[in-house]
């Protein structure tokens, strides 16, 4: 039967089910537009690389990935584990806390490596936090995503998302659910990183170069959504932290 060829939803357990119960109604605040969603692998490991414009991003991105029948594993700030309700969901659903600026920061990448080795989907925002660019374009990024990409032979999928900042602005703390906004995800083709895989995956210059490749494609996709030209790239170096 044809139905047997349909991909099955990845099992996530009770905490993922609880997250879905909480997140799906929140995401319904905005209109969802998914372009190229079929490029997210329905099985096996993948690293999803996205821009970051609002604190609402992880919620809408989690639902986006879940609607592709996968369970996302996010790298998020360690402080999230201590928040009421959401902290329990974060830990229980297998998310990966990041303790930036501490000796434990490297452990988050170890956990992300392990998740990819186990065939999971890992979601990462290379900028580390919501962009500080007033116009919402990606800014300098950390190299953790490049480390994961070079040390794991998995599909690296660039994705741009736009619209969440119009619902919740992380800097003004302004929540504007109405009139209803449109949140768009545009998924790009898997990145061809083969020219970079022969080098030292711990080389700072190589990691910065791969980070630039990733974020340049995310920016290109974002420009396509916005129908605007991105700003001219400055010479500032991307971050070299996890």
């Amino acid at each position: 039967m044809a139905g047997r060829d349909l991909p099955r939803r990845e099992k996530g357990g009770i905490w993922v089910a609880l997250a879905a119960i909480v997140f799906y109604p929140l995401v319904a605040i905005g209109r969802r537009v998914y372009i190229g969603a079929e490029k997210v692998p329905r099985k096996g490991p993948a690293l999803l690389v996205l821009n970051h414009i609002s604190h609402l991003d992880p919620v809408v991105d989690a639902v986006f990935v879940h609607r592709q029948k996968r369970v996302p594993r996010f790298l998020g700030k360690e402080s999230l584990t201590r928040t009421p309700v959401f902290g329990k969901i974060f830990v229980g659903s297998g998310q990966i806390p990041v303790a930036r600026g501490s000796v434990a920061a490297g452990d988050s990448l170890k956990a992300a490596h392990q998740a990819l080795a186990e065939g999971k989907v890992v979601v990462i925002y290379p900028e580390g936090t919501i962009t500080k660019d007033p116009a919402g374009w990606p800014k300098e990024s950390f190299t953790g995503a490049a480390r994961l990409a070079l040390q794991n032979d998995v599909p690296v999928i660039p994705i741009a998302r736009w619209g969440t900042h119009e619902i919740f602005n992380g800097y003004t703390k302004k929540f504007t659910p109405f009139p209803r906004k449109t949140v768009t995800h545009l998924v790009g083709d898997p990145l061809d990183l083969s020219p970079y895989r022969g080098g030292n995956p711990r080389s700072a210059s190589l990691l910065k170069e791969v980070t630039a490749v990733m974020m340049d494609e995310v920016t290109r996709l974002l420009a396509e959504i916005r129908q605007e030209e991105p700003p001219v790239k400055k010479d500032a170096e991307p971050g070299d932290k996890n």
Side-chain angles (χ1 to χ4, degrees):
M1 295 175 62
R4 293 179 180 175
D5 297 330
L6 296 175
R8 295 182 178 180
R9 179 177 297 281
E10 180 182 352
K11 295 181 179 180
I14 188 171
W15 285 107
V16 171
L18 179 59
I21 291 172
V22 174
F23 289 175
Y24 271 72
L26 290 175
V27 171
I29 291 172
R31 302 183 187 90
R32 296 187 299 271
V33 175
Y34 297 160
I35 305 171
E38 71 280 355
K39 297 176 184 178
V40 176
R42 296 308 192 264
K43 61 180 180 179
L47 179 64
L48 309 186
V49 181
L50 293 91
N51 62 313
H52 201 2
I53 55 175
S54 168
H55 292 106
L56 192 60
D57 292 344
V59 174
V60 300
D61 295 342
V63 170
F64 167 74
V65 176
H66 194 255
R67 288 177 70 89
Q68 312 319 310
K69 302 184 184 296
R70 301 304 306 270
V71 176
R73 268 70 180 184
F74 286 81
L75 278 82
K77 294 180 180 179
E78 188 271 339
S79 58
L80 291 174
T81 65
R82 298 190 295 274
T83 59
V85 183
F86 184 77
K88 291 185 178 297
I89 294 176
F90 184 89
V91 175
S93 60
Q95 307 310 306
I96 304 168
V98 180
R100 290 202 184 281
S102 74
V103 293
D107 292 341
S108 62
L109 282 188
K110 291 179 182 178
H113 285 300
Q114 183 62 34
L116 291 171
E118 293 174 354
K120 309 300 184 184
V121 169
V122 172
V123 181
I124 189 168
Y125 304 122
E127 295 167 273
T129 187
I130 58 176
T131 179
K132 293 180 174 60
D133 180 71
W137 295 101
K139 298 293 284 183
E140 291 79 23
S141 300
F142 295 98
T143 58
R147 292 173 187 270
L148 290 171
L150 291 179
Q151 295 181 39
N152 297 274
D153 188 12
V154 303
V156 179
I157 315 292
I159 303 175
R161 174 243 314 99
W162 186 246
T164 47
H165 64 299
E166 295 182 340
I167 301 173
F168 181 70
N169 186 304
Y171 291 107
T172 65
K173 307 302 181 185
K174 188 175 181 181
F175 180 58
T176 313
F178 302 106
R180 203 166 178 227
K181 314 300 190 300
T182 297
V183 177
T184 302
H185 285 78
L186 176 57
V187 184
D189 294 324
L191 295 173
D192 179 12
L193 298 180
S194 56
Y196 307 96
R197 294 193 181 280
N200 178 1
R202 298 184 182 277
S203 164
S205 60
L206 179 60
L207 290 170
K208 290 176 181 178
E209 186 174 358
V210 172
T211 300
V213 168
M214 291 178 171
M215 295 311 294
D216 283 351
E217 181 60 11
V218 170
T219 301
R220 186 192 70 78
L221 293 168
L222 182 58
E224 185 174 337
I225 296 175
R226 297 174 59 170
Q227 293 295 292
E228 298 175 22
E229 287 294 323
V232 176
K233 193 173 181 180
K234 297 181 179 180
D235 295 330
E237 296 287 348
D240 60 358
K241 299 179 182 179
N242 292 329

